[in-house]
Amino acid sequence: MHSDTPRAPWGLKLAAGAGLVFMIAPLLLIFVYAFTTEERTYQWPPPGLTLNWFAVTWGRADVWEALTLSVQVATVSTIIALILGTLCAAAVSGSRFFGREVISLLVILPIALPGIITGLALRSAFGMTDIPFSFWTIVVGHATFCVVTVYNNAVARFRRTSGSLIEASMDLGADQFQTFRHVILPNIGTALLAGGMLAFALSFDEVIVTTFTAGQQQTLPIWMLEELVRPRQRPVTNVVALIVVLVTTIPILLAFYLTRDGDQIAGSGK
Amino acid sequence: MSTTDDAFTEQRHGALTALSDLFWRRPKLLVLLLLAPPLLWLGVIYVGALLALLLQSFYAIDEFTGLVDYDVLTLKTYRELFNPANLDIIIRTVLMATTVTLASAIIAFPIAYMAARYARGKWKAMFYLAVMLPLWSSYLVKIYAWKLILAKEGILNWLFAQLHLTGLLEAYLGLPVVGGGSLSISYTGTFLVFVYVWMPFMILPTQAALERVPVNLTDASSDLGATPWQTFRHVTFPLALPGIIAGSIFTFSLTLGDYIIPQIIGSSRLFIGQAVYAHQGTAGNIPLAAAFSVVPIVIMGLYLWMAQRKGAFDAL
Amino acid sequence: MTTAVSLKAITRRFGDVLALDAIDLDIVEGEFFAMLGPSGSGKTTCLRVIAGFEQPSSGELAIFGERAETVPPYKRNVNTVFQDYALFPHLNVIDNVAYSLMLRKVERSERYRQAEAALEMVKLSGYGARRPGQLSGGQRQRVALARALVNRPKVLLLDEPLGALDLKLREQMQEELKSLQKRLGITFIFVTHDQGEAMSMADRIAVFNLGRIMQVGTPEEIYLTPASRFVADFVGSSNVLPPDFVGTLTGKPGWASLRPEAVTVTAGAGANLIGMVVSRSYLGATTRLTVDIAGQRIHAVMPSGPAMPEEGEQVAVSFDPSALHRLADTP
């Protein structure tokens, strides 16, 4: 089946190749700039290479504080998203009822609408109800748009998990809670893990909604944004950018690895 | 094997079992209980916040005090949207969203086609990761990378200099509208970053649509004597169109609402997102900010409605 | 004789659709019982009501004399072999079979001993460490069977158990299921749309159509004396003859069925029923002929011989009048 795949015309290869370079090259550039000796400009090619900026960044309290807040927000948001997304997916998959589409729409809406609308909506709601900005106002925003990644992964896995497995488990003497523990959880576990990692990456990186719900607090993306608008120490920004790339890339690669079987099944089925 | 007891039903007690029995007898109760937390969260917190925002847009700033007058519901703020200055912002944003969408569709198609039709096994995974990594890597880092690329002393100017084409670049920057002092403060720069940042959202649905086009359909077309170009125009492209339209919904909507990219790379002229941010922040005009944020929702509503009328969703 | 499963006026509605329409049925302990019918006839819903996956909208269900309609499936001493086998993909074969023992907190080594014995019963000893994904369709079916039988349920339910197997394997499994059922003495209730399978395996058959039971009886009763046009047509592939045609034959109009093997077709025009052969198919030991008699088609199955009539040939059709079985007026 693989051997009869026709060869692509060279024009298509060229266009696709150029497109991929356009997609990947800018990210690779970040890796080079983290080591440049140039301090004041974005000079290319770098006049020299050094590891010095990693040490400087390591010593920066503001970076550590922003990173800590981001990790805490992402962790709590991911946990909430895991609970809400799994509940929603289980309800939608377990039965056919009026309004299923409405629920899917409701889950997707926070990520489909421009972030600025979600952010402004939450800020004006906090304002109207006199809720002060805090760690939890950030989490509320993040969890809201993170539900969709867990939901999508879980729904897809529920769809592949035959409904008769649950019936078989009950038939063999497991009540609903035992069935959840012994059959449902082991079957959707990796999908939840993948969804959770994507939610973490999404939250860790979010800036638009956060600018509206953070008040004076600084998450790492807000720290980055400040540096982008008013650059103070470019080499530190370069290093932080590299770290952010790594921190978001690893969960994505893991999520890809965890769900790849399903993708291959889906791919070979066509 | 276990010995059979004569009783047909098994006696089992305990709170969990009793609860499980209840859920078995009333399956709708279980669904309701499962749905309650997410529905409360999304329905009350999120939709409630959206409605609060919508409500804000029907108030107006009192001209004398400069404070929001919460006593009168009015359309005054919406009238303000049609000031020449504000209308200018809306038109600029819509034009940018349109060109970004068209460019993304053109660049995305060969990548999606290659990934859907020719890439197999390892290559397929490579293509997938090459799209997924930029999609999921940090939005700000992506913008930052382009700030590095487009900087005066950056890699792009260096490349043009190496190729002795600096004159060409300067001539381009001298053009009206698309040009400017340098790439990083021109519309061209803003456009490039928008295309880069939203591109994966175009590639993925286009690829998915192309993968649903049966290979034997294109084979049949060439059997009937169609040239590759005719096959593409009359068979492949129309079948991929729903995917492209789905992708365009993302690229269009995301460009409409963004306020960070034009703030960092581009001229100082505002886009809708920047206007929203400015009005709710320093200007303190929340009603106008709310009214501005309704604009992308209305435009997207119209866009989706037109796409649906064209039958774009039927094939999805 | 103890009644194993008893349904009284069991009705199940799905919205406006009446999937089961006041079903009355008694299944005796130790019998091999088949529920036969086309898809959508309600046979699977009926099985699911007995298993506890569906709750009846009204009516009474009793299993070994105990009322069961409010008992959840995990408290019923009834087990099911699913059409798609429903083996747990995250467990290996032995843990699949031992699943119900694990839930009953049977001690580990005892659990595996019993599961291994169940596997041996279905001739799959030594397959315990494999994953369901590594087994063939026939092997998966045996695992599903072992898993359902490991607890010695009072009733075993089988939903289209052989549907996914190829012909040869299906015939072999029919034999094995029958001997297994005899050996264990457990009541087997199985659902099928294949009348041949129902005939060859079951002690008694219930024929379903449109949410109702059309007839209950032994295979012979159902085949020889169908109660209605539907049963005659669905079970025996019988000739269902309309009232006026039967009237011209016997003088007494009314629906009747006529089994194809009771019909004799001879070349020439000797008898009083004359028609033309419209199709002929050779089935090996027998040949199936379709004859058109003034617009009425009659099927005949005869022992294959050297002088079978050709397609398009004029033939005489005859049968013993006692082979004509009168049907009730209902469809």
Side-chain angles (χ1 to χ4, degrees), chain B residues 273-296:
Chain B
Q274 288 167 288
V276 172
Y277 191 71
H279 283 300
Q280 66 85 34
T282 44
N285 191 345
I286 298 243
L288 187 56
F292 251 119
S293 70
V294 171
V295 174

Side-chain angles (χ1 to χ4, degrees), chain B residues 62 109 258 271:
Chain B
D62 187 299
F109 197 87
D258 194 90
F271 284 77

Side-chain angles (χ1 to χ4, degrees), chain B residues 32-287:
Chain B
L32 209 67
L33 279 178
L34 290 173
L35 273 181
L39 274 190
L40 281 177
W41 185 286
L42 292 169
V44 175
I45 299 180
Y46 185 62
V47 176
L50 283 181
L51 291 179
L53 180 66
L54 193 67
L55 184 66
Q56 295 267 16
S57 69
F58 290 103
Y59 294 120
I61 289 273
D62 187 299
E63 276 145 39
F64 299 105
T65 60
L67 294 172
V68 180
D69 179 1
Y70 284 116
D71 297 330
V72 206
L73 287 174
T74 169
L75 287 174
K76 196 168 145 245
T77 310
Y78 280 100
R79 229 172 291 134
E80 225 177 299
L81 277 184
F82 294 97
N83 286 348
N86 290 339
L87 207 55
D88 211 31
I89 293 175
I90 295 172
I91 291 168
R92 180 180 304 126
T93 311
V94 171
L95 280 179
M96 178 59 87
T98 311
T99 45
V100 166
T101 298
L102 288 176
S104 306
I106 291 167
I107 302 175
F109 197 87
I111 301 177
Y113 194 79
M114 191 82 184
R117 273 309 165 77
Y118 295 104
R120 290 284 174 276
K122 266 212 176 91
W123 277 102
K124 186 127 190 149
M126 286 276 292
F127 263 95
Y128 181 75
L129 284 178
V131 177
M132 288 313 273
L133 280 182
L135 172 66
W136 284 94
S137 50
S138 167
Y139 162 80
L140 284 172
V141 168
K142 282 184 278 193
I143 301 172
Y144 186 63
W146 278 91
K147 198 173 164 123
L148 300 175
I149 292 170
L150 297 175
K152 257 206 159 65
E153 67 280 8
I155 190 168
L156 204 63
N157 276 315
W158 174 82
L159 259 177
F160 274 100
Q162 294 291 308
L163 299 167
H164 304 290
L165 291 172
T166 310
L168 188 70
L169 182 64
E170 270 161 14
Y172 177 82
L173 287 173
L175 292 173
V177 186
V178 296
S182 82
L183 273 177
S184 59
I185 56 167
S186 67
Y187 281 140
T188 306
T190 319
F191 165 81
L192 277 174
V193 181
F194 269 134
V195 171
Y196 176 74
V197 173
W198 308 141
M199 175 76 75
F201 293 97
M202 182 61 93
I203 296 176
L204 290 175
T206 306
Q207 182 185 339
L210 282 169
E211 280 182 346
R212 281 197 296 265
V213 178
V215 175
N216 51 26
L217 215 58
T218 50
D219 289 349
S221 169
S222 45
D223 277 352
L224 295 170
T227 64
W229 172 246
Q230 285 171 323
T231 303
F232 174 79
R233 245 197 74 195
H234 298 292
V235 180
T236 313
F237 183 72
L239 288 169
L241 198 59
I244 297 174
I245 290 178
S248 78
I249 290 167
F250 288 109
T251 55
F252 199 80
S253 154
L254 288 166
T255 311
L256 278 186
D258 194 90
Y259 79 96
I260 288 183
I261 291 173
Q263 184 189 358
I264 291 168
I265 294 178
S267 68
S268 53
R269 277 158 295 190
L270 296 180
F271 284 77
I272 290 178
Q274 288 167 288
V276 172
Y277 191 71
H279 283 300
Q280 66 85 34
T282 44
N285 191 345
I286 298 243

Side-chain angles (χ1 to χ4, degrees), chain C residues 10-292:
Chain C
I10 289 282
T11 297
R12 178 73 172 108
R13 271 184 212 89
F14 295 107
D16 293 337
V17 183
L18 204 54
L20 290 178
D21 186 2
I23 296 286
D24 287 307
L25 182 63
D26 283 314
I27 296 166
V28 178
E29 183 176 20
E31 79 176 328
F32 203 135
F33 193 88
M35 296 183 182
L36 174 67
S39 65
S41 60
K43 58 187 191 304
T44 300
T45 308
C46 192
L47 192 83
R48 291 171 57 78
V49 165
I50 299 172
F53 306 138
E54 301 282 353
Q55 294 169 64
S57 309
S58 64
E60 287 177 18
L61 169 70
I63 302 180
F64 286 93
E66 286 181 59
R67 286 290 288 274
E69 62 270 13
T70 57
V71 179
Y74 44 86
K75 288 182 178 170
R76 298 187 187 195
N77 202 351
V78 168
N79 285 125
T80 307
V81 175
F82 291 81
Q83 188 171 11
D84 64 354
Y85 313 138
L87 299 180
F88 304 124
H90 61 290
L91 300 178
N92 62 20
V93 166
I94 195 97
D95 282 324
N96 260 285
V97 176
Y99 185 79
S100 57
L101 303 170
M102 180 269 293
L103 292 168
R104 292 197 171 83
K105 304 201 166 58
V106 175
E107 191 254 328
R108 198 182 183 80
S109 59
E110 171 63 13
R111 202 196 296 167
Y112 285 152
R113 199 190 58 72
Q114 290 188 26
E116 190 55 49
L119 282 175
E120 201 181 308
M121 183 176 69
V122 296
K123 299 177 187 155
L124 272 184
S125 332
Y127 280 74
R130 302 214 189 169
R131 292 264 161 178
Q134 298 169 301
L135 302 179
S136 71
Q139 289 168 334
R140 278 183 222 185
Q141 217 236 347
R142 287 160 191 267
V143 177
L145 200 57
R147 185 178 70 175
L149 286 171
V150 74
N151 263 325
R152 293 276 175 130
K154 305 283 262 184
V155 178
L156 183 75
L157 307 175
L158 304 107
D159 185 9
E160 299 271 1
L162 311 175
L165 305 179
D166 59 45
L167 184 67
K168 202 164 165 162
L169 207 52
R170 200 152 61 206
E171 283 169 353
Q172 186 194 338
M173 278 311 287
Q174 285 180 8
E175 293 294 314
E176 282 187 37
L177 276 178
K178 255 169 94 169
S179 70
L180 198 63
Q181 193 263 342
K182 268 207 191 88
R183 198 142 44 91
L184 298 173
I186 293 174
T187 312
F188 276 32
I189 303 176
F190 83 109
V191 155
T192 180
H193 64 272
D194 180 340
Q195 75 277 14
E197 201 170 282
M199 294 278 179
S200 67
M201 286 162 78
D203 299 325
R204 282 199 308 151
I205 299 173
V207 185
F208 280 72
N209 190 35
L210 301 170
R212 294 186 192 183
I213 292 182
M214 310 304 289
Q215 189 172 1
V216 183
T218 63
E220 290 80 9
E221 284 165 0
I222 300 250
Y223 188 72
L224 295 174
T225 57
S228 62
R229 273 176 269 163
F230 174 82
V231 176
D233 184 47
F234 188 77
V235 178
S237 319
S238 275
N239 295 296
V240 175
L241 304 175
D244 44 346
F245 186 79
V246 175
T248 57
L249 287 178
T250 63
K252 269 202 288 173
W255 289 95
S257 72
L258 179 62
R259 282 177 293 112
E261 61 273 19
V263 181
T264 313
V265 177
T266 43
N272 53 356
L273 276 176
I274 294 175
M276 193 179 71
V277 177
V278 286
S279 78
R280 188 178 86 169
S281 42
Y282 179 69
L283 305 171
T286 57
T287 299
R288 185 181 171 86
L289 295 160
T290 306
V291 182
D292 187 304

